[in-house]
Amino acid sequence: MKNGQISRRYGNGRLARELMLSASMIVGFAGTAHAQTADATAQDQDAAQPAGTSGEIIVTGYRESIEESLRQKRTAESFVDVITAEDIGKFPDKNVADALQRVPGVVITRDGGEGSRVSIRGLQPGLTLTLLNGNFLAGADSGDPQRSFNYVMLPSNFIASTEVYKSPEARLEEGGVGGTIILNTRRPLDLDAWSGFASVEGTYSDTTEKFEPQLAAQVSWKNDAETLGFLVGGVYQERSNRELRGYTETWRWWSDRDEDGNIITPATDVNGDPFANDDAISYWPGEGVTARDGTHYSGYWAPQSVNTEVFDQKRERYGIQATMQVRPFDNVTVTSNYFRFEYSSDFVSNVLKIPEWGYGNFFTGPTFDPSGTIFQSAAFEVPAAGTECLANTPPCTMETPQLAGTYSREKQVSNTFETEVAYEGDRFEAVAKFGKTRATGGPSMRFGVAAKPRLTITGAEQNGNFYSAWDMTGGNLSMEFSPELQENIKNGIAQIDIGSTGSGFTNSELEQRYAQLDLTRHFDNFLSSIQVGAKWRELNIQRETGRNEWYADPATELRYQDTPEGAIARPEYFYDQPMGNIVGGFNANLFPGIDFNRYLDYINSTYGPSVRVPEPNNLYNITERVWAGYVQANFESGGLRGNIGLRVANTKQSGVTSDRLEYLNEYCVDGPGGDFDEDKPVGPDGNCQVIPLEERREIVNTRVEESKNYTDWLPSLNLVYEVTDTLLVRGAVAKVIARPSFGDLAGSRSLTYRSAAYAFDRNEFGEFEGWSGGGGNADLKPFSAWQYDLGIEWYFQPGSVVGATLFRKDVSDFIVPLVLDVEREVAGETVLIQPYSTVANGSNAVSQGVELYAQHTLPFGLGAQVNFTYNDTSVADITLDGEKVGESALVGSSKTQLNASVFYETDRLLLRASYNRRGEVVGGLASGLNVYTDPYEQIDLNASYELFDNLLLTAAVINLTKSEESQHLGNDTNDRFYRNNYFGRRAYIGLSYNF
């Protein structure tokens, strides 16, 4: 890092952060002083009040919403945090997940700068259960379906309140080890007749430089008798999202080998220590490298490819809510809801890649980290004319940077129908619910293409680029290329890399039906009520895979990229100018890109529309049936209250899936000497002449049927004791579970066999003979834990609190991803698979920590909310097939989380600044090492002003600090750069009218 250069990871917003924290402390100290004098002040105010008046302060707006949230937290019998909308259609953040990150212990992951998935107390998002009105909401992302809900789909305008349960109650659905989040929508009989809102908003991002709309409205009606009500709402949003990414592919250990092919210098960390699970380390299958000056390098870490990416996405989001309530009798209410969420997310990705291809002829040397074992930069340069490899016949041509890109059209649709029948008597309540939620999602087409800036026509070879370099020193990735690269590409010095051109898609469908009955009997003694209930739900998952093809000859299904024409890189395939507005993520002196609109226009007009080619034999059909029942006793006596209960859940999982075996028999057309002749015919793209896909590859899908049945007994106890009118103590103990992710339920595998001939053809790209791949683990057990909570809360004034919670989870059977070499039976014989990616259960581990939080508002409207969470997780043994294969911390765990919000509110004005910092997060394995997400911090600003009665002007800035997310590989150093992502600073301005 140059002197004076600010690291994007940590430097941005330091002044703003310190000002916010200082303001929070000032408000906190002021609140403490205010609390100490509260009684005396109250007595003085009472004495000064005229007869017949009250000293009560009426609060509205944002302050009212956070004070109402605090009232609900205080009266709850379990550990719960609540977020309420300050008014209809006015949730306190632009996104529900963004609001949830203000809750103590909550960490979110982002998608395009928006909160997408939520984890609680340092556990991964898949261990958080999200429910809409108490029931599962189906969502189908692109690719394999997930249990964790994607909050990007959900408009915050529909949400009235959100409850975050950190300790369970028997009446709540099981499935959240981290916690359970319940999103509650509005009901017309709870609202005034003809009430609602209409809003229009525009958003601007510094990465797209576009201003785009969002429209939302909701209206609620009920009759005078309050026996019939309707509510209808809708949201439409357009948003262009640009992410600027830098990342590496497959860090490998490069070492020379002896005559027998054995590694001479085994992999070590930066301290020189070997790795306990050396089988999981990714070794380069060849040897070390030699620079053009003759210097030889062996025994070091280097990425197989270093990439920069401009990811442009066009998002459209629709949301519809329709609710009807009928009260046919005074004590019976029927509520029916319909929700439809539609989210289209077409995108174009352009990537510049510097792979390992240049090490043979063009490598001029690296720089290292302080240990001397990790490449921090590498440069590649074409030698002077007529020297070195340019003196060969044919002369060498530089293949970097590879211009790679992806074009995708995709959509997710979620439909939910639910009906609730509620009976409320003097001492008896009954609630019956039934419904169905269904989601489909994935790309209708996803197509990728790659090009190289060179020409390999015999006798007319040309280089379009003469210099490629990458540098990741200090975690800031930069790339540099020849300044004439863009011009040369537009002048036709480029070829399509047909081996990297093709398509593939994965679409999924989730559907769950459910029925539930809850009964409550109230009493007038220590036992205040007893609740019993049962719930049935059936979840079905289907997945479809396939590809899109353009055929040069439909009769023979000859793909266009398998013809000489497919390798021609027409100048119109590329943008006329380098891509601009690269304001974060990485640095590059220029960024040429593929113009997919013109590329697809050409191949569609030349070969006709693409043909969808499904893979009907690649099966993935999973069914999960759950029967659950519970009993819960609620009690209260004096200052003691709480509940004790037992929930029993029987889970039956069954499915039909496929082992997908891919045999790569050959790649290049043979030379005169056969399979292992290096003199291969050269193809039109400058590489070897490639055998057509259907001739060089064979796919065999083998049907696999599996089933599993298990029962969980889940006791829970929650206690609250009010020591004084303002001080209370809470305690809880419970057993919790989370079922394996959908993709891990089956033991199906996707394996690839590379023949000796194929490995010979692709040796320079790191390919090797043998099997590799991955699969699920049918023997996985649910993630389970015993959890303990102890908290103290001091409500020193209405709407104000200082509190602390100690928590501990004794975890068993937690699930971690693995990459290792194993022997497995494939096609009737035992083979070595290296590497094999799968998941396994870990043994006992502990996750424990403390939450600290405070909230206070001064009489003149200045207030603050501050919380801090510390979470410490142990390392546990990981077992596969009954044998220990390594150790891991809890994947997804974060050690620290800090949130601070300062606000100022008057009758018409609201100003709010929010700071969020998440500590380092432990991720899954890559190249045998854990991926670590670096600490992340962000500041957001919100403001609103009431122009006239009920007409509100709103404005916000999200990610004021222009923060970036970054990752590194391994816990011994930060110098193995893994990923950096800048998703932009975004500004909003809008008008909202409530009626």
Side-chain angles (χ1 to χ4, degrees):
M1 187 185 304
K2 297 178 181 179
N3 292 334
Q5 179 180 349
I6 297 175
S7 169
R8 288 197 186 103
R9 293 184 181 180
Y10 308 114
N12 290 333
R14 179 172 296 174
L15 177 60
R17 177 176 74 248
E18 292 176 353
L19 287 174
M20 279 199 54
L21 294 178
S22 298
S24 300
M25 288 188 291
I26 291 171
V27 173
F29 291 140
T32 303
H34 184 85
Q36 292 172 346
T37 59
D39 292 339
T41 303
Q43 292 171 4
D44 293 341
Q45 289 176 344
D46 289 343
Q49 290 294 332
T53 66
S54 170
E56 181 182 5
I57 298 174
I58 304 300
V59 295
T60 59
Y62 178 72
R63 180 177 173 183
E64 180 185 19
S65 73
I66 63 173
E67 292 191 3
E68 173 59 27
S69 299
L70 206 57
R71 281 191 290 270
Q72 294 186 38
K73 174 183 176 70
R74 181 175 183 175
T75 58
E77 295 181 348
S78 55
F79 286 83
V80 62
D81 289 280
V82 181
I83 302 172
T84 59
E86 57 186 285
D87 212 334
I88 297 174
K90 290 170 60 180
F91 207 69
D93 284 89
K94 298 300 178 185
N95 175 287
V96 177
D98 288 334
L100 286 168
Q101 74 171 336
R102 319 293 179 206
V103 171
V106 169
V107 175
I108 68 172
T109 55
R110 298 180 182 275
D111 178 6
E114 293 186 88
S116 58
R117 303 192 188 275
V118 175
S119 60
I120 299 176
R121 288 179 173 170
L123 300 179
Q124 57 184 293
L127 303 179
T128 299
L129 178 66
T130 298
L131 305 174
L132 182 66
N133 295 324
N135 292 291
F136 175 72
L137 177 64
D141 293 327
S142 176
D144 292 337
Q146 301 185 46
R147 287 193 188 272
S148 60
F149 179 71
N150 187 351
Y151 283 81
V152 170
M153 287 189 64
L154 183 66
S156 63
N157 308 75
F158 291 174
I159 304 303
S161 67
T162 299
E163 302 165 281
V164 182
Y165 283 88
K166 299 174 184 174
S167 68
E169 299 182 23
R171 63 184 177 86
L172 300 177
E173 186 172 314
E174 78 290 340
V177 168
T180 300
I181 299 173
I182 301 178
L183 310 172
N184 300 302
T185 59
R186 289 184 173 82
R187 299 183 172 193
L189 295 185
D190 298 333
L191 305 173
D192 294 334
W194 295 115
S195 62
F197 76 94
S199 68
V200 57
E201 187 175 61
T203 178
Y204 174 87
S205 173
D206 66 341
T207 57
T208 62
E209 297 184 322
K210 292 182 179 180
F211 192 78
E212 295 167 302
Q214 174 174 307
L215 305 174
Q218 188 178 90
V219 61
S220 179
W221 172 87
K222 64 182 176 183
N223 61 5
D224 293 339
E226 298 191 359
T227 58
L228 178 64
F230 296 96
L231 182 149
V232 178
V235 171
Y236 171 75
Q237 180 191 83
E238 290 182 12
R239 178 170 295 175
S240 294
N241 169 46
R242 167 176 273 199
E243 296 186 41
L244 303 170
R245 305 166 175 168
Y247 57 96
T248 55
E249 292 182 36
T250 316
W251 278 88
R252 294 182 182 271
W253 181 263
W254 300 59
S255 169
D256 291 338
R257 297 171 181 262
D258 62 22
E259 295 179 355
D260 296 324
N262 299 313
I263 292 292
I264 294 176
T265 308
T268 67
D269 62 16
V270 294
N271 302 309
D273 298 324
F275 294 97
N277 187 18
D278 188 70
D279 287 343
I281 299 299
S282 295
Y283 282 89
W284 178 248
E287 298 192 349
V289 299
T290 302
R292 284 172 49 198
D293 65 4
T295 304
H296 186 70
Y297 300 92
S298 176
Y300 60 90
W301 286 97
Q304 191 165 341
S305 181
V306 180
N307 308 336
T308 56
E309 177 183 9
V310 177
F311 177 87
D312 289 309
Q313 184 181 49
K314 179 65 176 179
R315 295 180 172 182
E316 282 190 304
R317 183 184 301 159
Y318 303 84
I320 297 173
Q321 176 188 357
T323 301
M324 180 183 72
Q325 282 191 290
V326 179
R327 190 170 287 151
F329 310 104
D330 289 343
N331 52 5
V332 176
T333 304
V334 180
T335 304
S336 293
N337 285 309
Y338 168 67
F339 301 97
R340 179 181 175 88
F341 306 121
E342 185 172 314
Y343 171 58
S344 63
S345 53
D346 301 344
F347 72 82
V348 171
S349 166
N350 268 288
V351 182
L352 293 183
K353 306 179 68 171
I354 304 180
E356 83 289 344
W357 304 335
Y359 284 122
N361 293 316
F362 309 109
F363 181 48
T364 60
T367 62
F368 283 93
D369 73 319
S371 75
T373 61
I374 303 174
F375 271 20
Q376 294 297 281
S377 71
F380 308 87
E381 188 171 14
V382 176
T387 66
E388 300 180 44
C389 65
L390 285 183
N392 298 338
T393 302
C396 59
T397 53
M398 180 180 276
E399 300 181 73
T400 64
Q402 185 192 52
L403 284 69
T406 303
Y407 174 89
S408 183
R409 296 200 306 263
E410 50 190 85
K411 179 190 293 186
Q412 304 172 43
V413 179
S414 175
N415 287 282
T416 298
F417 305 85
E418 61 180 19
T419 296
E420 174 188 289
V421 181
Y423 169 83
E424 185 174 354
D426 291 338
R427 294 182 175 274
F428 178 73
E429 297 171 7
V431 179
K433 295 181 181 180
F434 55 91
K436 174 183 174 181
T437 179
R438 180 176 180 270
T440 58
S444 58
M445 185 182 77
R446 180 171 290 181
F447 171 72
V449 66
K452 296 176 180 179
R454 65 172 188 175
L455 286 178
T456 57
I457 300 171
T458 302
E461 293 85 357
Q462 283 185 275
N463 279 295
N465 180 51
F466 298 88
Y467 183 78
S468 292
W470 55 262
D471 190 329
M472 59 183 70
T473 305
N476 297 311
L477 179 61
S478 62
M479 283 188 172
E480 185 176 355
F481 307 104
S482 299
E484 65 269 32
L485 172 61
Q486 175 74 28
E487 181 182 357
N488 287 341
I489 291 174
K490 292 299 293 181
N491 288 335
I493 306 177
Q495 292 171 310
I496 297 299
D497 185 352
I498 59 176
S500 300
T501 298
S503 78
F505 61 81
T506 298
N507 294 333
S508 59
E509 176 183 323
L510 281 78
E511 180 181 289
Q512 179 173 280
R513 296 175 295 154
Y514 55 88
Q516 178 177 346
L517 179 64
D518 299 282
L519 306 175
T520 304
R521 176 68 164 87
H522 295 276
F523 304 96
D524 290 329
N525 49 42
F526 171 73
L527 185 64
S528 57
S529 65
I530 290 181
Q531 296 173 274
V532 297
K535 186 170 188 176
W536 165 84
R537 54 193 190 272
E538 180 179 282
L539 176 70
N540 292 289
I541 307 165
Q542 292 183 315
R543 187 182 67 189
E544 177 194 21
T545 60
R547 65 186 192 273
N548 296 85
E549 298 288 11
W550 288 264
Y551 292 125
D553 184 354
T556 61
E557 295 187 348
L558 176 65
R559 304 185 311 156
Y560 86 95
Q561 62 263 50
D562 291 332
T563 68
E565 173 74 16
I568 297 175
R570 299 176 178 275
E572 63 266 29
Y573 289 172
F574 306 95
Y575 291 120
D576 294 331
Q577 299 295 328
M579 301 183 72
N581 196 35
I582 298 175
V583 293
F586 61 89
N587 294 305
N589 65 323
L590 76 164
F591 199 108
I594 298 169
D595 189 329
F596 273 92
N597 289 329
R598 294 194 294 199
Y599 190 104
L600 290 170
D601 284 346
Y602 178 83
I603 62 175
N604 281 324
S605 62
T606 304
Y607 305 107
S610 66
V611 177
R612 190 176 178 89
V613 184
E615 296 179 328
N617 295 325
N618 188 14
L619 302 174
Y620 193 91
N621 302 316
I622 300 292
T623 298
E624 181 179 86
R625 297 182 181 90
V626 179
W627 279 97
Y630 73 90
V631 58
Q632 178 172 311
N634 304 294
F635 50 85
E636 182 174 5
S637 178
L640 180 67
R641 54 188 167 87
N643 58 64
I644 186 171
L646 176 66
R647 187 175 187 91
V648 181
N650 175 259
T651 304
K652 183 177 182 180
Q653 295 161 340
S654 60
V656 177
T657 60
S658 296
D659 268 355
R660 184 180 188 272
L661 306 181
E662 179 183 37
Y663 294 88
L664 301 178
N665 299 315
E666 281 193 280
Y667 188 80
C668 302
V669 174
D670 290 342
D675 288 344
F676 304 102
D677 185 350
E678 294 185 359
D679 187 18
K680 305 286 186 183
V682 177
D685 66 348
N687 297 310
C688 70
Q689 183 176 340
V690 179
I691 300 171
L693 179 68
E694 299 304 324
E695 297 178 25
R696 69 177 189 258
R697 183 184 72 170
E698 179 186 3
I699 293 178
V700 177
N701 288 295
T702 305
R703 182 185 177 99
V704 178
E705 296 187 24
E706 296 167 316
S707 64
K708 185 191 302 182
N709 194 327
Y710 55 88
T711 300
D712 293 289
W713 298 76
L714 307 172
S716 62
L717 171 66
N718 290 278
L719 293 173
V720 180
Y721 181 68
E722 298 190 5
V723 182
T724 68
D725 292 341
T726 60
L727 184 68
L728 63 82
V729 177
R730 296 183 189 273
V733 59
K735 185 180 181 182
V736 291
I737 64 160
R739 297 176 180 87
S741 65
F742 297 139
D744 297 332
L745 288 179
S748 60
R749 302 172 298 181
S750 179
L751 304 176
T752 298
Y753 175 73
R754 297 167 180 82
S755 70
Y758 179 91
F760 179 83
D761 292 342
R762 304 286 289 173
N763 177 65
E764 64 176 305
F765 304 108
E767 301 283 13
F768 55 89
E769 181 183 0
W771 288 94
S772 66
N777 183 346
D779 296 325
L780 274 184
K781 300 175 183 178
F783 194 124
S784 63
W786 277 96
Q787 70 173 52
Y788 312 90
D789 300 86
L790 180 63
I792 184 169
E793 301 165 14
W794 177 37
Y795 297 90
F796 55 87
Q797 165 179 324
S800 300
V801 67
V802 174
T805 301
L806 298 173
F807 60 87
R808 177 185 172 100
K809 294 182 188 291
D810 290 335
V811 179
S812 59
D813 300 324
F814 71 92
I815 298 168
V816 295
L818 291 177
V819 181
L820 71 170
D821 298 344
V822 297
E823 288 189 344
R824 286 287 186 273
E825 184 177 312
V826 179
E829 60 178 323
T830 300
V831 300
L832 176 65
I833 305 175
Q834 51 179 354
Y836 183 68
S837 302
T838 187
V839 287
N841 287 118
S843 60
N844 296 337
V846 174
S847 174
Q848 59 188 358
V850 60
E851 292 174 350
L852 306 174
Y853 53 91
Q855 175 178 313
H856 182 59
T857 307
L858 296 174
F860 60 89
L862 179 64
Q865 298 169 282
V866 183
N867 62 72
F868 173 78
T869 303
Y870 175 82
N871 178 43
D872 180 56
T873 62
S874 65
V875 174
D877 293 341
I878 310 301
T879 58
L880 183 68
D881 301 334
E883 296 184 6
K884 177 181 174 180
V885 293
E887 297 179 339
S888 176
L890 290 173
V891 173
S893 59
S894 173
K895 190 173 288 291
T896 59
Q897 172 81 2
L898 173 65
N899 300 300
S901 292
V902 178
F903 64 89
Y904 175 72
E905 186 174 35
T906 66
D907 290 342
R908 291 184 177 275
L909 176 68
L910 170 64
L911 302 173
R912 179 166 66 102
S914 300
Y915 168 72
N916 167 259
R917 186 186 191 278
R918 181 215 62 221
E920 187 177 74
V921 178
V922 182
L925 291 175
S927 303
L929 306 177
N930 283 99
V931 177
Y932 289 85
T933 302
D934 297 318
Y936 177 84
E937 55 187 15
Q938 176 174 312
I939 289 180
D940 304 330
L941 302 179
N942 297 79
S944 64
Y945 183 77
E946 190 172 22
L947 300 172
F948 308 102
D949 289 347
N950 299 321
L951 181 63
L952 202 65
L953 174 67
T954 62
V957 178
I958 306 301
N959 194 17
L960 174 71
T961 44
K962 302 181 71 171
S963 301
E964 300 180 1
E965 291 185 337
S966 59
Q967 295 176 318
H968 67 272
L969 192 64
N971 63 357
D972 57 326
T973 179
N974 290 345
D975 288 330
R976 290 187 205 91
F977 175 89
Y978 193 73
R979 189 176 187 86
N980 201 53
N981 185 17
Y982 179 61
F983 40 75
R985 173 197 287 168
R986 193 174 292 274
Y988 300 81
I989 188 167
L991 287 172
S992 177
Y993 179 71
N994 284 36
F995 53 89

